[in-house]
Amino acid sequence: MKSLLFTTLLALGVAHAGAFLDIWELPYVKNHITIETLGHEMSKDLKWNQREESLRRARAQATGEN
């Protein structure tokens, strides 16, 4: 009996969510955010390229010293 009640509530929840999403119109986005654009914006803020170059220089120096 519990499983029947749970299944009924679950089916009603899915139907309710489906009806809500059917009524709700998604806004049109011209420029979607992609991983590449997000990474580019973050690298501008966090200056990842400069850190990468400094690590390369430090490795080259350590290799030369050893």
Side-chain angles (χ1 to χ4, degrees):
M1 194 63 172
K2 287 182 189 176
S3 63
L4 179 64
L5 180 63
F6 179 71
T7 305
T8 305
L9 288 175
L10 187 63
L12 287 174
V14 169
H16 179 70
F20 173 74
L21 292 175
D22 188 42
I23 292 171
W24 184 47
E25 293 182 11
L26 294 174
Y28 175 74
V29 178
K30 188 174 183 178
N31 295 324
H32 292 282
I33 297 174
T34 60
I35 293 173
E36 290 84 13
T37 57
L38 182 64
H40 181 67
E41 292 296 322
M42 288 180 70
S43 76
K44 285 195 314 190
D45 294 337
L46 299 175
K47 298 179 178 41
W48 285 337
N49 295 335
Q50 292 176 1
R51 291 180 188 168
E52 186 177 308
E53 291 299 321
S54 66
L55 285 174
R56 284 187 182 149
R57 275 187 256 119
R59 280 192 198 128
Q61 184 181 6
T63 303
E65 291 173 357
N66 290 336

